[in-house]
């Protein structure tokens, strides 16, 4: 009898076996067949992400993505934060599947105009350029979801942040969910600490992950609509800092809504731990930022990160890996989009 087990040809010569040996051989065959079935399944619906997914099919992908990101960040430092945020807002809505990149059509409404994204998320043109460059060297191989994950890494590194081992193998969704993006899946700037913890827990992330990932606010800017209530109404804010931010954010809604302020007052274009130092001084720009200091465990993490930048860098990198694991499409699920803005025809 011939049997392939783990890719190797095994020979069973029944004429040389005793009855008990034959029974054992039959059992071995049965288990081998089950194992082969599971191996097949793991290549489709049960496939897992792996750092070397493109090592043979597109080994250039990291450099191709990195070159575009570095150029974009060189032109506009804020773009690094925007590209990181795209990955975050994508993963929190039905998993890391590039659904946020899909444009609206006459018969389809994507996630771009949902309240947390509308007039807020940006960098789509950079993703388009990355995808175009990747397609030139590796056509039909690299998903838009994986491009977002690699882009997030390269953006953080370009601004002086830590590196991490990006797991790959995601596929792209064929749809998006405006209702999920608009319905609380993405943490709100007005969230309480309890709401923040619950929102992160809903996607499998811990409170530890939440505090570390919040450190992404060490870069980037926020609109007046996101911090107006905090700087006018909250008591857990430094008074001089509140006055400074009020100067560019009128109290009345509709006036100056899109005026911007840096999330990190100290070093808004450098990835460091100053965000946590700001929280200690009650200079968090968002209500949700300052909430991190109000709880025992989360507050202790804020204090640790404020004095130990290496601890923050290590934990942020680990949390980014965890976030990238949120409900990815793998195997035969989804597709590899040719254009990140539209599903394949």
């Amino acid at each position: 009898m011939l049997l392939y087990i783990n890719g190797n040809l095994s020979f069973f010569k029944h004429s040389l076996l005793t009855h008990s040996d034959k029974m054992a051989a039959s059992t071995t065959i049965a288990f081998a067949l089950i194992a082969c079935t599971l191996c097949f399944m793991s290549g489709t619906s049960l496939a897992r992400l792996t750092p070397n997914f493109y090592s043979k099919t597109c080994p250039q992908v990291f450099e191709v993505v990195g070159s575009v990101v570095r150029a974009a960040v060189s032109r506009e430092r804020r773009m690094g934060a925007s590209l990181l945020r795209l990955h975050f807002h994508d993963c929190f809505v039905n998993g890391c599947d590039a659904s946020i990149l899909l444009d609206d059509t006459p018969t389809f409404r994507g996630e771009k105009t949902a309240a947390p994204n509308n007039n807020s998320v940006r960098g789509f043109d950079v993703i388009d350029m990355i995808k175009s460059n990747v397609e030139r060297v590796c056509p039909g191989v690299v998903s838009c979801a994986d491009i977002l994950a690699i882009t997030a890494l390269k953006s953080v590194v370009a601004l002086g942040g830590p590196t991490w081992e990006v797991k790959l193998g995601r596929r792209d969704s064929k749809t998006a969910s405006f209702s999920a993006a608009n319905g609380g899946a993405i943490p709100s700037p007005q969230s309480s600490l309890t709401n923040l913890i619950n929102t992160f827990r809903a996607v499998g992330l811990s409170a530890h992950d939440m505090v570390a990932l919040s450190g992404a606010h060490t870069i980037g800017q926020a609109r007046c609509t996101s911090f107006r209530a905090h700087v006018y109404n909250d008591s857990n804010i430094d008074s001089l800092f509140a006055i400074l931010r009020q100067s560019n954010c009128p109290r009345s809604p509709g006036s100056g809504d899109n005026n911007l302020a840096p999330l990190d007052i100290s070093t808004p274009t450098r990835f460091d731990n100053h965000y946590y130092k700001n929280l200690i001084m009650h200079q968090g720009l968002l209500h949700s930022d300052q909430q991190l200091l109000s709880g025992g465990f989360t507050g202790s993490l804020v204090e640790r990160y404020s004095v130990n930048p290496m601890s923050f860098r290590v934990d942020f990198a680990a949390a980014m890996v965890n976030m990238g694991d949120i409900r990815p499409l793998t195997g035969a699920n989804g597709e590899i989009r040719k254009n990140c803005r539209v599903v394949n025809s």
Side-chain angles (χ1 to χ4, degrees):
M1 174 182 290
L2 306 181
L3 178 67
Y4 281 97
I5 302 179
N6 295 329
N8 297 316
L9 186 61
S10 298
F11 296 83
F12 290 88
K13 298 184 179 180
H14 279 257
S15 59
L16 301 179
L17 299 177
T18 64
H19 176 72
S20 60
D21 288 335
K22 291 178 181 179
M23 292 294 292
S26 297
T27 302
T28 299
I29 293 168
F31 278 114
L33 291 174
I34 293 173
C36 288
T37 300
L38 291 175
C39 288
F40 172 77
M41 290 174 66
S42 68
T44 54
S45 61
L46 298 181
R48 294 293 180 263
L49 305 181
T50 174
N52 60 357
F53 189 82
Y54 298 112
S55 59
K56 294 183 178 179
T57 57
C58 193
Q60 314 98 309
V61 64
F62 279 89
E63 181 49 39
V64 173
V65 174
S67 64
V68 178
V69 170
R70 287 190 295 272
V73 172
S74 178
R75 289 191 300 270
E76 182 194 3
R77 299 282 287 177
R78 179 189 171 206
M79 184 55 69
S82 298
L83 294 172
L84 172 60
R85 190 161 177 257
L86 273 179
H87 183 44
F88 182 92
H89 279 222
D90 178 49
C91 290
F92 268 69
V93 180
N94 295 331
C96 308
D97 59 3
S99 59
I100 195 172
L101 302 179
L102 291 172
D103 284 341
D104 290 355
T105 72
T107 59
F108 168 81
R109 189 173 192 181
E111 299 165 12
K112 291 181 177 179
T113 58
N117 298 330
N118 195 33
N119 296 319
S120 178
V121 290
R122 58 197 292 271
F124 298 108
D125 54 336
V126 178
I127 299 299
D128 290 340
M129 183 177 294
I130 293 171
K131 179 62 172 176
S132 177
N133 289 2
V134 170
E135 285 294 304
R136 275 199 291 270
V137 295
C138 310
V141 172
V142 182
S143 69
C144 300
D146 278 346
I147 284 175
L148 283 178
I150 299 172
T151 297
L153 166 69
K154 294 298 184 180
S155 296
V156 169
V157 171
L159 294 175
T163 187
W164 58 91
E165 194 172 54
V166 180
K167 293 194 288 185
L168 302 167
R170 301 170 191 81
R171 289 167 66 84
D172 301 323
S173 66
K174 298 180 181 180
T175 187
S177 179
F178 174 85
S179 60
N182 216 32
I186 299 171
S188 165
Q190 284 76 43
S191 293
S192 67
L193 180 60
T194 298
N195 287 341
L196 286 171
I197 292 172
N198 289 339
T199 302
F200 277 74
R201 182 181 295 151
V203 294
L205 297 176
S206 67
H208 198 141
D209 290 324
M210 183 265 292
V211 178
L213 288 172
S214 295
H217 285 179
T218 189
I219 52 177
Q221 302 186 56
R223 294 184 302 149
C224 170
T225 52
S226 298
F227 62 84
R228 175 183 281 124
H230 180 50
V231 300
Y232 281 103
N233 302 330
D234 288 348
S235 59
N236 60 342
I237 184 172
D238 177 78
S239 58
L240 292 180
F241 176 73
I243 292 171
L244 173 65
R245 289 295 165 247
Q246 290 169 9
S247 66
N248 194 42
C249 183
R251 182 187 291 271
S252 301
S255 177
D257 285 359
N258 292 320
N259 291 351
L260 298 173
L263 286 157
D264 175 355
I265 189 175
S266 307
T267 54
T269 60
R270 188 170 74 238
F271 197 99
D272 54 28
N273 70 329
H274 283 204
Y275 164 80
Y276 299 102
K277 294 177 182 291
N278 297 337
L279 297 186
I280 296 295
M281 296 186 294
H282 298 281
Q283 294 179 351
L285 182 63
L286 307 180
H287 175 85
S288 57
D289 287 331
Q290 203 59 55
Q291 284 291 294
L292 301 184
L293 198 60
S294 64
F297 173 71
T298 61
S300 66
L301 277 179
V302 169
E303 292 174 0
R304 182 204 301 178
Y305 294 155
S306 72
V307 297
N308 191 333
M310 184 53 66
S311 178
F312 163 53
R313 291 169 72 91
V314 170
D315 288 356
F316 179 84
M320 285 297 295
V321 174
N322 292 341
M323 188 181 79
D325 279 339
I326 298 174
R327 295 174 59 185
L329 298 174
T330 59
N333 298 313
E335 64 182 8
I336 306 297
R337 286 188 217 138
K338 299 174 184 176
N339 179 336
C340 291
R341 293 176 178 266
V342 296
V343 298
N344 297 339
S345 56

